């Protein structure tokens, strides 16, 4: 289910780019532009932090789902998708975080 739901969601988000903003929440986000999308990502990130501090697992899951969703909208806005991020995570897998961070400074 893991990658399947991400692929399905990514496909749906792409379809919503063409939808009427009055008929779709996601289409309305795309229509309003990047600043609105980024505001939602920021709001959901804050709510995820608050949920984590509260320690209630169901709230953490719910808020993380909202954060991931709006992050996927942001990626789609830039014609990117979950596989772009998953490929980057795969590239980093097995590399020390210290080494990976150092490699970014040299670019």
């Amino acid at each position: 289910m893991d990658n399947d739901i991400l692929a399905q969601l990514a496909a749906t988000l792409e379809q919503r780019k063409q939808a009427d903003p009055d008929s779709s929440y996601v289409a309305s986000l795309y229509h309003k532009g990047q600043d609105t999308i980024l505001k939602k990502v920021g709001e959901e990130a804050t709510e995820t932090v608050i949920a984590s501090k509260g320690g209630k697992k169901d709230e953490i899951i719910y808020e993380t789902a909202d954060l991931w969703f709006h992050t996927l909208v942001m990626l789609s806005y830039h014609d990117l998708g979950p596989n772009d991020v998953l490929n980057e995570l795969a590239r980093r897998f097995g590399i020390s975080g210290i080494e990976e961070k150092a490699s970014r400074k040299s670019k």
Side-chain angles (χ1 to χ4, degrees):
M1 180 176 125
D2 48 14
N3 282 353
D4 289 343
I5 192 67
L6 287 176
Q8 291 172 15
L9 187 51
T12 300
L13 293 176
E14 283 301 312
Q15 292 170 355
R16 295 296 189 269
K17 286 181 177 180
Q18 308 307 318
D20 179 356
D22 293 330
S23 69
S24 163
Y25 170 70
V26 172
S28 74
L29 288 175
Y30 290 135
H31 180 74
K32 291 175 185 173
Q34 179 172 233
D35 287 348
T36 297
I37 295 168
L38 294 177
K39 182 178 176 188
K40 285 304 296 180
V41 171
E43 287 173 8
E44 299 304 341
T46 300
E47 290 172 6
T48 301
V49 168
I50 292 167
S52 182
K53 292 288 284 180
K56 294 182 180 173
K57 291 183 180 183
D58 59 333
E59 290 179 17
I60 295 167
I61 292 167
Y62 182 88
E63 295 301 343
T64 300
D66 280 352
L67 175 58
W68 285 14
F69 177 82
H70 287 91
T71 300
L72 289 170
V73 172
M74 177 198 65
L75 288 170
S76 178
Y77 179 84
H78 292 286
D79 297 321
L80 297 167
N83 282 337
D84 295 301
V85 177
L86 292 172
N87 290 338
E88 175 61 15
L89 289 171
R91 184 192 69 77
R92 294 181 188 187
F93 192 76
I95 299 173
S96 157
I98 295 170
E99 291 174 23
E100 197 283 326
K101 192 169 183 176
S103 76
R104 285 188 273 156
K105 288 183 181 178
S106 64
K107 291 183 181 179

